Every structure is written in structure tokens, then in C-alpha cells.
């Protein structure tokens, strides 16, 4: 029987999302990548420093036990195969058991998300993320200058999501952008009992829920909905999650307040939002990524 990744949570990640390669990246020239490749080769035995998504990946892989593989992380990188050697040596030094990687030497990597069956794609390349989202894959552009994750919760994977255009469709956001806050509140109150259609990250939330239900060991998942919605628009969001039979551990209805300080207190390993301004605010406190989805990202 061929090996498959079925029944596993599959995360595809670029090298700059997992490791801090910003110094090396400043040397990169797509027309002449030799200098970059040579630097990576010179540093082959120098483990790379952790990047923005390092904590998320390490904790997710901790759900795996001997004989039971629940999470698969795959390197999906525009790097060349030579640079890939340093990446895998860095994962070994960090005790991150990556087995698989695709290195495209500048080619578009997102096309390999489908055969991987990826539930999430994290990349420092905004164009790759946009293309992945258009193909229906949950994906986020990692802000590489984000604050690194706290180590306060070693046995919890903490993930925070925006609502509209991330977990949910941007149906309500379109009303807000077109007609303003009052019309948005009235629209959501009128439709409070009608579940919102799923957004690009609904499959990831469902996969995390399945992972939590299947795991019986020390690691657990803690999720939070962090949204600019306020009363009375909160009810439709809650009812939608109930309809999906998926619970979040915390919900923050902030009514337009800046999200960053609240995320600082929640201490997620990663936060996903469709609004660049919210991601920039969050990145000052926690690891964050932009989901270029919905009307806010034409």
C-alpha cells in the first residue's frame, strides 16, 4: 500500500516562516541566486534561529506519539535543494522531525498543496499565499517581524482567528464596507439564526477540532475567536460555530478596539486576520499572519 497523509493534520510551511532567514534573504536575487546559495552552503553546520511559526510547528508535532502520526509538517519552499540541506539540518538541531520537503528553486510552490492535502500553508511570500487561497487552501502571509511566541504554555497549542473572511465568509463584511456599521448590525441581527457560510480557515478549525478529539495525551489545543464584532452581531458568529459543532475556548467581541493588547494576554502561537492593520497591531505582541481573503483584499 502506498504511504498517504490521510487522517493527519498537514501543515505546509516555507523556510522563512519556520526559521529566521531574514539576513540570508537580503542577499537573495532571483536573477542570480548563487550568492544566496553559497551563503547557505557556508552556514550548513550553523543551525538557523527560530522563526515566527517555529513554536506553532514544534507544539503541533508534539501531538505525535510513537506509532501514531497525527500531524505532518512539510517544508514547501522556493529555496533550491542545496539550501534545503541547511533547512533540514536546522530542523534536526531543533529536534523538529520533518521528513518531507519540496524545493522549487524559485518556482511556484503552492501547486503542491493539493497532492499534500494541506490544511494550512504558512509562507513569507505574499503572492504565494494569495494564490493558495484562490485555490481553496487555508493560507497566511507570515509577518516575519512578528514577536515570537511566549513559552508560557508548553503543553497547549494556542491559535487565534479573526471571524469574517477568515473563519466565516465575508458576506457580512461586504454589508459593512458597502453600507456602514449600522446596516451591518441590523443585517446580522436580522440573520442571527442563519449560520454564516464557511470562510477559508473553516477547514483548519475543523481539523484542529478533530486533532483535539483524537488526542489523549498531554498536549491540547486552545482556540480563540478575536473579532471586531460587537453586540448584537456576536450572536450570529456564536450560532454559526454551534451549527458547525465546533467550539472555541475563548471569544472576544471587541467592537473595533485594537486587537493587539488582547492577543498579548491570550498569548497565541499564531493569529490569523484578513485586515493588514489588525495583523500589524497583533505582530507587535504575538506571531501573526495575513489572510488575503474577502472584500478587504481585492
Amino acid at each position: 500500500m502506498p504511504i498517504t497523509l490521510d487522517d493527519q493534520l498537514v501543515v505546509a510551511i516555507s523556510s522563512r516562516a519556520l526559521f529566521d532567514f531574514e539576513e540570508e534573504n537580503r542577499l537573495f536575487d532571483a536573477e542570480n541566486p548563487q550568492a544566496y546559495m553559497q551563503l547557505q552552503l557556508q552556514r550548513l553546520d550553523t543551525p538557523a534561529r527560530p522563526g515566527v511559526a517555529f513554536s506553532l510547528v514544534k507544539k503541533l508535532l508534539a501531538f505525535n506519539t510513537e506509532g501514531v502520526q497525527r500531524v505532518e509538517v512539510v517544508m514547501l519552499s522556493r529555496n533550491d535543494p542545496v539550501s534545503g540541506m541547511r533547512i533540514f539540518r536546522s530542523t534536526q538541531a531543533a529536534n523538529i522531525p520533518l521528513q518531507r520537503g519540496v524545493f522549487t528553486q524559485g518556482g511556484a510552490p503552492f501547486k503542491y498543496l493539493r497532492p499534500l492535502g494541506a490544511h494550512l500553508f504558512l509562507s513569507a511570500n505574499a503572492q504565494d499565499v494569495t494564490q493558495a487561497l484562490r485555490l481553496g487552501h487555508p493560507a497566511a502571509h507570515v509577518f516575519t517581524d512578528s514577536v515570537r511566541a511566549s513559552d508560557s504554555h508548553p503543553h497547549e497549542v494556542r491559535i487565534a482567528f479573526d471571524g469574517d473572511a477568515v473563519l466565516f465568509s465575508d458576506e457580512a463584511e461586504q454589508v459593512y464596507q458597502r453600507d456602514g456599521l449600522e446596516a451591518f448590525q441590523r443585517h446580522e441581527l436580522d440573520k442571527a439564526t442563519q449560520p454564516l457560510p464557511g470562510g477559508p480557515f473553516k477547514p483548519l478549525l475543523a481539523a484542529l477540532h478533530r486533532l483535539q478529539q483524537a488526542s489523549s495525551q498531554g498536549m491540547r489545543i486552545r482556540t480563540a475567536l478575536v473579532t471586531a464584532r460587537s453586540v448584537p452581531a456576536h450572536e450570529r458568529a456564536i450560532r454559526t460555530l454551534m451549527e458547525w459543532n465546533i467550539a472555541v475556548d475563548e471569544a472576544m467581541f471587541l467592537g473595533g478596539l485594537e486587537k493587539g493588547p488582547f492577543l498579548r494576554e491570550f498569548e497565541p502561537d499564531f493569529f490569523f486576520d484578513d485586515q493588514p492593520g489588525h495583523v500589524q497591531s497583533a505582530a507587535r505582541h504575538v506571531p501573526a499572519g495575513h489572510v488575503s481573503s474577502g472584500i478587504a483584499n481585492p
Side-chain angles (χ1 to χ4, degrees):
M1 291 289 291
I3 295 174
T4 75
L5 302 181
D6 294 347
D7 300 322
Q8 296 182 42
L9 187 150
V10 180
V11 176
I13 189 166
S14 75
S15 56
R16 286 178 60 205
L18 183 58
F19 292 114
D20 182 353
F21 280 141
E22 297 314 291
E23 180 183 348
E24 291 86 346
N25 190 64
R26 285 192 287 272
L27 196 65
F28 182 76
D29 180 353
E31 300 299 322
N32 182 20
Q34 292 302 317
Y36 172 87
M37 293 168 60
Q38 186 60 36
L39 179 59
Q40 291 284 36
L41 189 58
Q42 289 172 1
R43 296 181 174 181
L44 189 61
D45 295 318
T46 303
R49 295 186 301 272
V52 176
F54 184 90
S55 174
L56 175 66
V57 165
K58 187 141 190 174
K59 286 184 179 181
L60 282 173
L61 286 170
F63 278 87
N64 295 331
T65 57
E66 188 173 353
V68 181
Q69 186 87 6
R70 297 185 177 93
V71 177
E72 176 76 20
V73 177
V74 180
M75 182 60 55
L76 187 55
S77 172
R78 284 180 175 264
N79 266 302
D80 61 281
V82 172
S83 302
M85 289 196 300
R86 186 185 180 207
I87 293 167
F88 278 121
R89 287 200 183 186
S90 295
T91 62
Q92 291 168 1
N95 197 28
I96 294 180
L98 264 64
Q99 302 180 61
R100 298 175 173 85
V102 177
F103 300 93
T104 63
Q105 195 161 340
F110 54 82
K111 60 186 177 181
Y112 296 109
L113 293 168
R114 190 177 307 280
L116 286 172
H119 296 95
L120 176 63
F121 177 45
L122 295 173
S123 174
N125 187 303
Q127 291 181 337
D128 285 345
V129 165
T130 298
Q131 291 298 325
L133 285 162
R134 287 174 180 169
L135 291 173
H137 302 288
H141 172 216
V142 174
F143 278 33
T144 56
D145 59 350
S146 295
V147 168
R148 302 305 188 252
S150 164
D151 59 1
S152 299
H153 309 282
H155 301 296
E156 283 188 343
V157 178
R158 292 188 163 217
I159 304 179
F161 300 91
D162 181 32
D164 297 291
V166 178
L167 288 183
F168 315 128
S169 79
D170 71 334
E171 171 196 303
E173 182 69 20
Q174 291 181 39
V175 175
Y176 173 74
Q177 296 286 346
R178 184 182 65 244
D179 301 322
L181 179 60
E182 185 176 343
F184 165 80
Q185 298 281 27
R186 185 169 57 251
H187 176 270
E188 292 303 279
L189 187 59
D190 291 344
K191 295 181 177 293
T193 60
Q194 299 179 23
L196 282 155
F201 273 63
K202 179 189 175 184
L204 175 61
L205 183 64
L208 290 169
H209 181 72
R210 292 193 298 271
L211 178 62
Q212 179 66 61
Q213 298 298 109
S215 179
S216 59
Q217 61 172 53
M219 293 298 297
R220 72 177 306 275
I221 295 169
R222 188 169 185 85
T223 54
L225 170 65
V226 183
T227 173
R229 285 174 176 254
S230 60
V231 177
H234 72 296
E235 185 171 329
R236 193 178 187 197
I238 294 173
R239 285 183 177 275
T240 297
L241 292 171
M242 292 171 63
E243 177 69 21
W244 295 350
N245 198 28
I246 299 175
V248 295
D249 296 286
E250 299 190 24
M252 306 177 199
F253 300 100
L254 300 182
L257 290 175
E258 186 179 357
K259 295 182 179 182
F262 291 88
L263 289 161
R264 181 185 61 220
E265 301 304 320
F266 179 64
E267 298 183 306
D269 295 291
F270 215 89
F271 170 61
F272 300 99
D273 200 295
D274 71 303
Q275 302 272 358
H278 292 310
V279 181
Q280 290 165 359
S281 169
R284 294 194 290 269
H285 305 283
V286 301
H290 177 225
V291 180
S292 51
S293 170
I295 193 172
N297 298 278

